[in-house]
Amino acid sequence: MSNRVNIGSFLMDPESDNVLLNKHLNLEKVEKNLYRSTYQQMNVGGRNVFGGQVIGLGLIAAGDTVEPGYHLHSLHCYFLRGGLDQPILYQVEATREGSTYCSRSVKAIQNGLTLFTMQCSFKKQESDSFEHQFKMPDVPKPDELKDRSQLYKDWIDETDPSDENLHGLLRRYKMRAETDTYEVRPVDPQRFRRDKGGEPRECLWIRAKLPLGDDAHLNKCVAAYYSDMHLAGISSYPKARIPGTFQFFVTSLDHSVWFHHPFRIDDWVLYEMESPHAANGRGFGVGRFWSPDGKLVMSVAQESVLRTLKAKL
């Protein structure tokens, strides 16, 4: 009997070729409350595991220990160490079992060291007549915009071929965009390329490339995974990233997510990001996920290491 953790119908189907579920978010159940990853997604040009994947896997492990009827509504986590390209253990502890709310503590462990800790909370469905939300930004629709892989291609074509360092970096990012499990269409291509300084804000349309079905927890796990993709870099936007002047060392310190309404992450959502503050080697970012019909479905907050370095070009 298989000890794979099922997260939606695709993992139950051996014929599925959904690389997101069968590779990136695949967990093996070692024993009760203990899970092991089978694949690590490494950062582009880096030696560490991508933090968003650790979040997604931790949520899958936590969700496997929760009784039906409870729905994930928030998570708060800390990144303590960089993970290597080796299996990671996910240890889950039941910290609360309530009639409306229940909580789980998750610890990611590699080589005996804790890489990551997370608290996540689940609740039973309830409704109330009072509600409000901000207004969704007025931006072009995704079918009016270019995918990031095409933007990287355009950037490569416009770059002096003698600049081998920049060409190599852009080719790596283009390849990653083509092989990633999600699509991105930036609302402002110049801001995405960081051709200009200015306010630390950006909007991206984002969606999973492969269908995920209606499983609410699975869609939340994948959305949390993707929420760590671009937010940390927003804090550096006021300093235009001009080749030969400045570059930044950026890595996530902590990450929080709140889920407001059900949504499908294999449909387009608008990821609105901004950085209210950066100083003392740290950048703070907040993000909002909007459904195409203008509903605020998810909120994100993150603090990151942000260090300005002289570029070695």
Side-chain angles (χ1 to χ4, degrees):
M1 182 176 177
S2 173
N3 56 354
R4 295 176 69 191
V5 178
N6 290 320
I7 47 167
S9 60
F10 283 95
L11 279 183
M12 302 176 197
D13 180 3
E15 301 301 320
S16 170
D17 60 356
N18 194 320
V19 67
L20 174 61
L21 305 187
N22 287 327
K23 185 176 181 181
H24 291 253
L25 292 178
N26 188 21
L27 273 183
E28 174 191 4
K29 189 168 186 175
V30 179
E31 58 181 76
K32 183 178 180 181
N33 295 338
L34 187 64
Y35 305 81
R36 179 167 50 217
S37 63
T38 58
Y39 168 80
Q40 274 56 248
Q41 179 185 352
M42 308 306 287
N43 286 314
V44 177
R47 296 175 293 176
N48 295 326
V49 175
F50 171 58
Q53 184 193 27
V54 179
I55 295 173
L57 287 167
L59 290 175
I60 291 167
D64 191 56
T65 71
V66 174
E67 293 295 323
Y70 288 89
H71 305 280
L72 177 68
H73 74 89
S74 69
L75 67 94
H76 307 276
C77 57
Y78 280 92
F79 298 100
L80 306 178
R81 294 179 176 86
L84 305 175
D85 191 6
Q86 301 171 10
I88 297 173
L89 290 173
Y90 292 84
Q91 185 179 68
V92 181
E93 178 186 357
T95 50
R96 172 182 166 84
E97 299 288 359
S99 59
T100 303
Y101 289 85
C102 70
S103 301
R104 295 293 183 267
S105 175
V106 181
K107 185 183 294 185
I109 304 166
Q110 190 178 71
N111 296 324
L113 298 175
T114 300
L115 309 181
F116 163 95
T117 62
M118 177 170 66
Q119 291 286 335
C120 46
S121 182
F122 300 77
K123 73 179 297 286
K124 290 186 176 179
Q125 190 66 36
E126 64 178 288
S127 61
D128 194 287
S129 59
F130 175 76
E131 62 178 59
H132 73 87
Q133 69 164 51
F134 283 1
K135 184 179 179 181
M136 179 180 175
D138 184 13
V139 299
K141 301 301 182 184
D143 58 4
E144 303 172 32
L145 301 167
K146 287 184 178 182
D147 184 80
R148 61 179 170 145
S149 59
Q150 181 60 52
L151 293 177
Y152 283 130
K153 181 182 182 302
D154 294 344
W155 196 352
I156 291 169
D157 292 342
E158 297 166 12
T159 302
D160 185 349
S162 65
D163 191 342
E164 296 181 0
N165 288 337
L166 183 56
H167 259 258
L169 178 65
L170 293 176
R171 283 195 296 269
R172 289 196 297 273
Y173 276 111
K174 179 177 179 292
M175 182 179 299
R176 183 61 172 265
E178 293 170 344
T179 58
D180 260 335
T181 61
Y182 68 106
E183 298 177 74
V184 165
R185 297 189 181 180
V187 169
D188 184 343
Q190 280 191 305
R191 186 172 295 277
F192 180 76
R193 285 173 42 157
R194 307 194 195 180
D195 286 346
K196 59 184 180 183
E199 289 190 342
R201 303 177 188 273
E202 185 167 26
C203 287
L204 311 168
W205 287 100
I206 186 170
R207 70 175 175 183
K209 289 180 179 178
L210 294 168
L212 298 176
D214 293 323
D215 186 289
H217 184 67
L218 171 59
N219 279 273
K220 291 175 182 179
C221 291
V222 175
Y225 177 4
Y226 293 161
S227 70
D228 190 39
M229 293 288 184
H230 297 279
L231 185 57
I234 300 300
S235 298
S236 68
Y237 275 27
K239 176 70 71 174
R241 196 168 76 175
I242 303 169
T245 54
F246 290 93
Q247 63 181 0
F248 295 89
F249 172 77
V250 181
T251 188
S252 303
L253 286 170
D254 58 31
H255 196 86
S256 296
V257 179
W258 296 264
F259 300 96
H260 309 308
H261 297 284
F263 63 99
R264 292 277 296 263
I265 194 62
D266 56 2
D267 190 8
W268 289 112
V269 294
L270 181 70
Y271 193 7
E272 178 193 9
M273 296 168 284
E274 60 186 353
S275 174
H277 183 266
N280 306 312
R282 303 191 314 279
F284 175 64
V286 294
R288 290 178 279 273
F289 276 38
W290 300 90
S291 63
D293 62 358
K295 181 174 288 187
L296 180 62
V297 296
M298 184 174 119
S299 298
V300 186
Q302 182 185 74
E303 189 172 51
S304 304
V305 174
L306 180 71
R307 295 183 180 134
T308 307
L309 307 170
K310 284 290 183 180
K312 297 179 181 179
L313 297 178

